[in-house]
Structure formats: structure tokens, C-alpha cells
Amino acid sequence: MKNVKPKSAVKPAKAKSATTGRAKTKPKTIYSKAEIEEIFRRFSIQRPEPKGELEHVNPFTLVVAVALSAQATDAGVNKATRALFAIADTPEKMVELGEEQVREHIKTIGLYRNKAKNVIALSEKLIADFGSEVPRTREELITLPGVGRKTANVVLSMAFGQATMAVDTHIFRIANRLCLAPGKTPDEIEHQLMQIIPDHYLYHAHHWLILHGRYCCKARKPECQRCVIADICKAAEKTSEMPAPLVELPAQII
């Protein structure tokens, strides 16, 4: 008669990570750790202190500016908000100004009617729920009207010094074009970039990538001859293997 192994002796399936509750996904990057380190080392030399280009005077005006920047350029938002922030730099002043006047100030920005409505609504919520203070967590920020994950990440980084990855159109394009962190959604790309970027470069990383996409690796035609990572880049459409001289760029004028 054959010996039958009791069910209790069957080896159980491997458990998922106790800390995450799910298996950790492996990044899809085609770059080695050494190559990623070198990419961001060069960016750090080129722009030691990168800055966001949206004008603001405090965390509240930053939230408003970033919310207004959806489907608009930073330059266009800055032009519209200079006069607005001069008279309404707190939630109370914005509510007192009213939706109609906000519309008048931002009417040169795309989707301005809906954005004006959201600016008043988020101001009212800040007053009612947060004592007029901009919250310091992503979970709370995304409860504000017109504020999504990207806006929340920008605010956490620029206002509160947290290392985040705000995936805008530039980062989305670069992550896929360079095969640095390819993905179909901003959230997927954010997750991958947060895994592969070395910790010591993470705080400035989203600004480096945004500025690289805005001024060098442009949407219509990347300017590879001006690229400091041209020799490392694995983009199929790149036109140069010779990196540009690695020198610090002039200070940004914000």
C-alpha cells in the first residue's frame, strides 16, 4: 500500500509581502542602475537647484496655480495669475473676490470657466475643513476641487519639501520615449520612477525631467545635439550619440 502524504504536510504557497499586501512589481526600465545614476548625476550638474516655473507667493497660491495649469502652459498661467494673486492670496480673499471676478482674471487660460468654479470651491473647502491652511498630505489635498494626484505631488514637493514625482505631459513623454519608465498611465509611470531613481536624486528628479522635456527633449522634435545624456539615451528616434558639454546652465528666472 502506498504511503499518502497528509494534507497538512503539503508546502503552502509563498505568501505575498507582509508590508505591501501584494507582490512588488518590477520596473520596466531598460537602463541599468549605473546608467540611471549617471543620468541624474548629469542633470544635477546641469541644474543644481531646479525650480518649478509657476509663480506663487504661498502654498495657497501654489495650489491654485497648479490647478489652473492643467492643459495650459506655465507662462500662460503666470500671465493670468499675477494680477489675481496680488489681490487674492488667501482663501478668504479669493472667496470674497467671487467666481465672476476670478473668471475675468483667468479667461485667457483654457477651461477657465470650470477652473474658476473650482478655485472658489477649493478656497471654501480650505476655510471650512482645514482652517484656511493647505494640507500637507496627498490624501487630504486630493479632496480639494480641481486637485488631482499630479497637483498634489507638485504642492507636496514645492511647498512642503517632500520627495514626490509629479507626472505631467513632459515626464509622461520622456518616460516612454526614452524607455526609462514606460507606462500607459501617469500613476504607472510615477510608481516606476519612484522605484528606480536613486534616493539622493529623488527630491529634484521631477523638476529635472520636466525641464529636460520642456527645453531639450521636446515633443515635436527632440534637440539631441543639446542633450547631456545623448550617449546613454536609448530612444529609438534620437539623432545624436554625442552628449552636449556638461556645464551648469544659467540660473532660472522665475
Side-chain angles (χ1 to χ4, degrees), residues 8 15 18 33 41 45 47 53 60 73 77 83 89 102-103 107 117 122 124 155 161 166 201 206 218 232 254:
S8 60
K33 287 185 178 180
R41 184 191 74 83
I45 293 173
R47 297 183 190 272
E53 296 187 319
F60 169 68
T73 65
V77 172
D89 60 356
V102 172
R103 278 203 310 267
K107 62 185 178 182
K117 186 183 223 178
L122 76 82
E124 290 173 338
V155 173
Y201 291 131
H206 83 282
K218 299 178 180 179
I232 305 173
I254 307 300

Side-chain angles (χ1 to χ4, degrees), residues 33-49:
K33 287 185 178 180
E35 288 172 327
I36 294 172
E37 172 76 27
E38 180 62 12
I39 286 170
F40 287 95
R41 184 191 74 83
R42 294 186 192 181
F43 285 159
S44 72
I45 293 173
Q46 187 180 46
R47 297 183 190 272
E49 294 292 332

Side-chain angles (χ1 to χ4, degrees), residues 10-27:
V10 177
K11 189 175 181 180
K14 189 175 181 180
K16 294 181 180 179
S17 169
T19 56
T20 64
R22 58 183 175 83
K24 187 176 181 180
T25 57
K26 185 177 179 180

